[in-house]
Amino acid sequence: MEQYAIQMKGVTKRFGAVTANDHVNLEIKRGEILSLLGENGSGKTTLMNMLAGIYFPDEGEIFVNGQPVTIASPKDAFTCGIGMIHQHFKLVDVFTAAENIILGLDNKNRLDLKAASRKITEICQKYGFHIDPDKKIYDMSVSEKQTVEIVKVLYRGADILILDEPTAVLTPQETDRLFNVMRNMKADGKSLIIITHKLHEVMDVSDRVAVLRKGQYIGDVATKDTTPQKLTDMMVGRAVTLNIDRPAPENPKPRLEVQGLTVFDELGVKRLDHVSFTAMGGEILGIAGIAGSGQKELLEAIAGLQPLQPGASVKFTPPGNQPVELVGKTPLQIKRAGVSLAFVPEDRLGMGLVGTMGMTGNMLLRSYRKGKSFFTDRKSPKNLAEDVKERLEVVTPSVTFPVRRLSGGNVQKVLVGREIAQEPAVLMTAYAVRGLDINTSYTIYNLLTEQKMMGVAVIYVGEDLDVLLELCDRILVLCGGQVSGIVDGRTATKEEVGLLMTRFNKEGGAAS
C-alpha cells in the first residue's frame, strides 16, 4: 500500500466568480519529487498556497501522513511539516543567514545563536548545502539566498517542501547543485513538489508529474514514462509543436552599435561597466546573465531611460541612411529622430502599460502605420487590440477591461503584442516569456523569429539558457555589469555560457 505524505481530496478554491481550483485530487508520496505542471492560470500556485497556509480551501479535505488536518496559516503548515520556498525570497538583508533562519521562532529556539549555527551547519552537511551562517544576506548571491530559504524550512522540521520556480535565476551549475541537494533530501525520505515551466528540468529531477488545466486535475504520469511533448499536450489539451525555428540570418547589417556604456544607479552603484557590442538587423542577439548583472539597465540605457556616463555611444543605423546617435536623447526625441525602436520592459505595469486602461487605451499610446506584419489590421487601436487578443489568446472580458486586473501572463501578452505591432527596426525584450505557459512562450519565440526574418534587430534578454541556445544567433553574456563574452548560439554549450555568467572560462581563469 502506498504511503502518502499529502492527500488533497476535492479541494476547491474560488475568488469571486473565478474558480481557481475545481475539486482537485492530488497525492504526494513519501520520498518522491513531484513536478506540478500547468498553463498560466491553471491553479498551480493557488493549490500549493493552500498547502502552505496562505489560502484556505472553500471545499475539500487535506490529509498529512493519512491524518485529516486544518491548515489555516503558515504556522499550521509548519506544524504539519510543510514548508514553501517562494520565488521571491522573504529575507531581511541586514541580518545574517542564521538570524534569518531562526527569525520568528519562539524564545527557547532563537536565543542561542551559536546552537542555531551548529544545527544549520549539520543540516548543510547532511544534504550538501554550502552556506556561512554568519554571512549577511546583502553579501550573498541569489543561489545562497535560496539556500537560506530552504535551510530555514528544514530547520523548522519540514518533511514536505514546495519549491516555486526554484531555478528561474540560477546558472546551470547552480541548478545542478540544487537538484543534487533535492535528490539527497528525497533519499532522506522527504517529499518535494517543484513548480516549473522548464520541461527539461521536470524530466531531469522529478519522479512523477501532475498536470492541472484550467483549475482541474488532469492526471499524473511517471516521469520515466513520458516526454516533454506528451506533457505539453496534457497541459494544453491538444497537440502543440515544441520547435523553435532558427533560420540562418539573411544578409545581416549593423543596426545598433553600442560603445563604452557605463551606468550608475540612483545609489551610485555601477550597474554597467564599459559595455560594447553590435546588434545586427536580421538576427536575434541574446543577453544572458544571473539576476542583477545589468540586463535591465542595458536595455533601458539604449531606450533613453537611463543616464549614461560621458564617452558612451549608441548609434542606430537605419537601412540606407547615416547613423543616428541616441545618447542624450529622450525616448520621445529618439522617436522623432525617425528611430523605430520597440521595448518590452521587465516592469510590465510600472513601465510598459497603464494599468487602469484597457487594451485599446494602451494601444493608443503608440501610433501605427500600415504594412506587412503578423498583426495585419491597423484600422484603429480597437481593431489592433482585438487582433492581439485573438492571436495571442489574451484572456480578458473585453479590450476595455483594465489590464492591471489581468493575470501576469496576459499582461505580458498585451505588451509584447503591442510592441511587435509597431513594425520596429530594433525590438528589445526583457524576459518576454516570464510567467507565460509553454504554448504561449513558443508563440512569442516564433514571433521574434518572424521579426528577425523581416530584418529587425532583436535583442532578447532571457533566463532560460536552453531557450537562449535554441533561439538566438549570438549570445552576449553579462557578469557584474561587464561583457564576459559573446558566443555563437549554434555552437555554444550551457556549461560554457554558465561559466561566463560567473566570469570563469573552462581553463579556470577570468573571462575577458
Side-chain angles (χ1 to χ4, degrees):
M1 183 176 177
E2 293 282 6
Q3 291 185 319
Y4 293 107
I6 294 282
Q7 291 172 289
M8 305 180 81
K9 298 184 178 181
V11 172
T12 298
K13 183 63 182 176
R14 303 181 186 89
F15 297 98
V18 177
T19 301
N21 293 125
D22 186 5
H23 295 89
V24 172
N25 297 311
L26 180 69
E27 298 169 331
I28 299 98
K29 300 172 186 175
R30 291 182 188 173
E32 81 163 347
I33 300 175
L34 174 75
S35 286
L36 190 59
L37 287 183
E39 292 188 278
N40 295 121
S42 61
K44 304 183 299 295
T45 302
T46 299
L47 191 66
M48 292 300 100
N49 279 339
M50 284 187 279
L51 280 183
I54 296 170
Y55 295 147
F56 190 77
D58 298 318
E59 298 175 26
E61 295 178 289
I62 298 175
F63 295 82
V64 176
N65 296 321
Q67 300 299 314
V69 297
T70 299
I71 304 176
S73 69
K75 185 177 180 181
D76 289 344
F78 276 121
T79 300
C80 294
I82 302 170
M84 185 167 180
I85 296 89
H86 298 271
Q87 188 174 354
H88 302 290
F89 307 139
K90 303 178 186 302
L91 301 170
V92 180
D93 277 357
V94 296
F95 285 5
T96 65
E99 289 167 340
N100 270 279
I101 287 167
I102 64 175
L103 188 65
L105 294 175
D106 56 46
N107 288 339
K108 67 179 180 181
N109 288 320
R110 69 178 172 83
L111 285 178
D112 192 344
L113 265 176
K114 287 186 178 179
S117 294
R118 284 196 299 271
K119 184 176 177 182
I120 291 166
T121 301
E122 289 172 5
I123 291 172
C124 291
Q125 290 174 346
K126 183 175 184 179
Y127 298 114
F129 291 113
H130 300 283
I131 191 171
D132 178 0
D134 299 319
K135 191 173 184 179
K136 299 281 190 181
I137 298 298
Y138 58 68
D139 284 330
M140 291 186 175
S141 67
V142 174
S143 63
E144 287 177 307
K145 292 177 184 178
Q146 184 182 69
T147 299
V148 173
E149 288 281 24
I150 297 173
V151 173
K152 185 164 68 175
V153 300
L154 291 173
Y155 189 95
R156 286 160 166 75
D159 290 315
I160 302 150
L161 287 82
I162 305 165
L163 296 93
D164 188 5
E165 299 284 356
T167 65
V169 291
L170 301 184
T171 66
Q173 290 82 1
E174 291 167 341
T175 297
D176 289 341
R177 286 197 292 271
L178 173 64
F179 286 176
N180 286 333
V181 168
M182 290 172 63
R183 293 183 185 105
N184 291 339
M185 289 191 284
K186 166 192 163 183
D188 192 44
K190 300 201 180 291
S191 302
L192 298 97
I193 306 169
I194 178 173
I195 303 173
T196 179
H197 286 297
K198 300 177 182 179
L199 291 181
H200 62 279
E201 294 180 356
V202 171
M203 302 302 296
D204 183 16
V205 77
S206 67
D207 302 301
R208 193 165 53 94
V209 185
V211 177
L212 296 180
R213 188 195 310 149
K214 296 180 180 178
Q216 296 183 328
Y217 181 72
I218 299 303
D220 66 272
V221 62
T223 308
K224 62 181 177 61
D225 296 331
T226 190
T227 65
Q229 183 66 60
K230 290 178 181 177
L231 291 174
T232 303
D233 294 348
M234 279 181 73
M235 282 190 290
V236 179
R238 64 179 188 277
V240 175
T241 302
L242 290 183
N243 293 320
I244 300 178
D245 293 326
R246 181 170 52 185
E250 295 182 4
N251 193 24
K253 298 280 178 61
R255 192 67 69 227
L256 199 67
E257 296 182 67
V258 175
Q259 294 291 330
L261 224 61
T262 299
V263 172
F264 288 85
D265 65 16
E266 61 273 10
L267 299 177
V269 177
K270 186 183 285 187
R271 294 298 182 183
L272 292 174
D273 187 5
H274 291 87
V275 170
S276 300
F277 66 92
T278 299
M280 311 291 287
E283 76 161 5
I284 298 178
L285 175 67
I287 309 291
I290 61 175
S293 295
Q295 303 96 314
K296 171 178 177 287
E297 290 80 7
L298 175 60
L299 298 196
E300 290 180 2
I302 294 171
L305 298 170
Q306 288 274 4
L308 302 175
Q309 296 301 300
S313 173
V314 180
K315 289 184 179 178
F316 169 77
T317 304
N321 289 306
Q322 294 300 308
V324 178
E325 179 60 65
L326 305 187
V327 171
K329 290 183 172 62
T330 65
L332 183 59
Q333 289 170 334
I334 290 174
K335 183 179 178 181
R336 287 176 174 169
V339 178
S340 180
L341 187 149
F343 178 30
V344 178
E346 181 179 6
D347 187 355
R348 300 165 182 171
L349 289 175
M351 184 181 293
L353 299 168
V354 177
T356 56
M357 298 169 66
M359 289 181 64
T360 300
N362 276 285
M363 299 302 160
L364 274 168
L365 299 176
R366 295 287 195 182
S367 59
Y368 300 89
R369 60 187 185 277
K370 291 185 179 181
K372 294 177 68 177
S373 169
F374 181 81
F375 301 101
T376 55
D377 187 353
R378 303 182 180 280
K379 294 179 181 177
S380 70
K382 184 177 184 299
N383 285 340
L384 180 58
E386 293 283 4
D387 197 17
V388 171
K389 177 177 179 290
E390 178 184 351
R391 291 177 181 269
L392 293 186
E393 298 180 353
V394 179
V395 179
T396 178
S398 73
V399 292
T400 58
F401 189 76
V403 295
R404 64 178 172 79
R405 295 176 63 183
L406 303 179
S407 70
N410 284 303
V411 170
Q412 186 74 333
K413 293 178 189 178
V414 174
L415 182 54
V416 171
R418 185 191 71 182
E419 293 303 304
I420 288 178
Q422 279 193 79
E423 296 184 334
V426 177
L427 172 61
M428 303 189 298
T429 69
Y431 309 107
V433 299
R434 178 181 281 172
L436 297 184
D437 54 64
I438 302 292
N439 189 32
T440 307
S441 295
Y442 276 80
T443 299
I444 299 297
Y445 301 148
N446 291 328
L447 281 176
L448 296 180
T449 298
E450 181 182 286
Q451 293 297 300
K452 157 189 156 178
M453 298 312 294
M454 293 169 63
V456 176
V458 179
I459 302 177
Y460 175 86
V461 174
E463 53 200 1
D464 188 330
L465 282 187
D466 290 277
V467 170
L468 282 163
L469 290 167
E470 192 176 349
L471 174 69
C472 302
D473 300 293
R474 290 185 300 141
I475 301 171
L476 179 149
V477 186
L478 287 174
C479 178
Q482 295 181 320
V483 177
S484 56
I486 299 177
V487 299
D488 188 318
R490 289 171 171 77
T491 59
T493 65
K494 282 178 65 175
E495 291 71 25
E496 180 183 355
V497 177
L499 290 168
L500 286 170
M501 288 165 69
T502 51
R503 195 173 277 173
F504 286 93
N505 57 31
K506 291 182 180 178
E507 284 69 42
S512 58

